[in-house]
Amino acid sequence: MRITNQMLNESARKAGLPINYTSLLNYINNDSSNNTLLSALSKNRSSAVDTGTKSNYEKLQKTAEHLVQKAEIFTTEGEESIFAKARESDSNQEIYAGVEALVENYNNTLKALKTASTPLNDYYRQMLQEVANENSGALENIGITISKDGTAVLERDKLKAADTDTLEKALGTSGTFSTKVAFLATRISDNAQVNAKSLTNQYNSKGNISSSLSNQYDVWG
């Protein structure tokens, strides 16, 4: 197929290259130009990557924020705790709904971390899985099992067969699952927000990670 100036100029228009006053063929062959077709297309490709990365960070931030909210439902203590209210009302329905939401948002966060994969996000994903594995026995007692890929699987019949004490042991402050998940999700959300903002401001997101890496890897500090 013969490539014409008209065809190349149409490609130039889509790529954001100038098409007035000179043909695209002349533009490509102009050695004095610093804006070759290759560099222009590379720039557009880089912009697309930055846009996609920013979108991934924004989604991760929101997903992690939701996980914080769902985990913190189980960390309130005293008379206002979800477990105290369940005993008072003689109903665990609110707890069951909270568990389903927690499992869903836990899995969503793992997925979002994988999509926005960086060394730090891979580390956070590993930490979430480790917290789940640390509490696997108590979680299994209320119908939550951890798959090989780290995702949580909920068996609703077993969940609804668990009494309030068993539910509190697995998810309340006497254990570590909800507390650590809420803490990690907060760090994940904060990091995602910083990186999304750095891309918005056209800063190098790697710089942000490098400057704070030592503090963020000391995750429980």
Side-chain angles (χ1 to χ4, degrees), residues 134-190:
E134 287 172 4
N135 292 272
S136 60
L139 293 174
E140 287 176 6
N141 288 337
I142 64 170
I144 300 174
T145 55
I146 306 302
S147 302
K148 290 182 179 180
D149 64 358
T151 56
V153 178
L154 178 61
E155 185 181 342
R156 288 175 175 79
D157 289 341
K158 191 170 183 179
L159 170 66
K160 294 181 179 180
D163 59 28
T164 307
D165 289 342
T166 303
L167 292 163
E168 185 171 17
K169 184 177 180 180
L171 300 171
T173 54
S174 60
T176 63
F177 181 74
S178 297
T179 302
K180 285 189 174 183
V181 165
F183 178 83
L184 282 170
T186 300
R187 298 294 291 268
I188 292 166
S189 176
D190 289 346

Side-chain angles (χ1 to χ4, degrees), residues 42-58 195-206:
S42 296
K43 181 179 180 181
N44 280 357
R45 191 159 53 243
S46 177
S47 297
V49 171
D50 287 347
T51 300
T53 302
K54 178 174 176 289
S55 176
N56 288 338
Y57 275 124
E58 289 172 341
N195 281 284
K197 185 176 181 180
S198 72
L199 288 171
T200 300
N201 294 331
Q202 298 183 339
Y203 289 127
N204 187 340
S205 62
K206 291 181 181 179

Side-chain angles (χ1 to χ4, degrees), residues 99-160:
V99 172
E100 291 191 15
L102 177 61
V103 169
E104 179 182 1
N105 283 276
Y106 174 87
N107 289 337
N108 287 344
T109 301
L110 287 181
K111 182 179 179 180
L113 283 167
K114 189 172 184 179
T115 300
S117 179
T118 65
L120 185 55
N121 283 341
D122 292 345
Y123 175 75
Y124 280 136
R125 184 158 55 95
Q126 178 185 339
M127 292 299 294
L128 280 175
Q129 294 174 12
E130 287 182 3
V131 169
N133 289 329
E134 287 172 4
N135 292 272
S136 60
L139 293 174
E140 287 176 6
N141 288 337
I142 64 170
I144 300 174
T145 55
I146 306 302
S147 302
K148 290 182 179 180
D149 64 358
T151 56
V153 178
L154 178 61
E155 185 181 342
R156 288 175 175 79
D157 289 341
K158 191 170 183 179
L159 170 66
K160 294 181 179 180

Side-chain angles (χ1 to χ4, degrees), residues 1-74:
M1 182 176 67
R2 183 171 178 270
I3 305 300
T4 66
N5 280 331
Q6 183 179 2
M7 294 168 66
L8 288 172
N9 284 339
E10 177 62 18
S11 297
R13 184 187 64 78
K14 292 179 180 180
L17 295 171
I19 60 176
N20 295 325
Y21 307 112
T22 183
S23 73
L24 181 57
L25 286 175
N26 289 334
Y27 188 82
I28 294 171
N29 293 322
N30 183 0
D31 292 336
S32 64
S33 172
N34 293 322
N35 297 315
T36 65
L37 176 62
L38 180 60
S39 64
L41 292 177
S42 296
K43 181 179 180 181
N44 280 357
R45 191 159 53 243
S46 177
S47 297
V49 171
D50 287 347
T51 300
T53 302
K54 178 174 176 289
S55 176
N56 288 338
Y57 275 124
E58 289 172 341
K59 290 177 182 178
L60 176 58
Q61 180 189 350
K62 291 180 180 179
T63 302
E65 285 175 352
H66 291 157
L67 180 57
V68 173
Q69 295 168 4
K70 303 309 177 184
E72 286 184 341
I73 288 173
F74 300 103

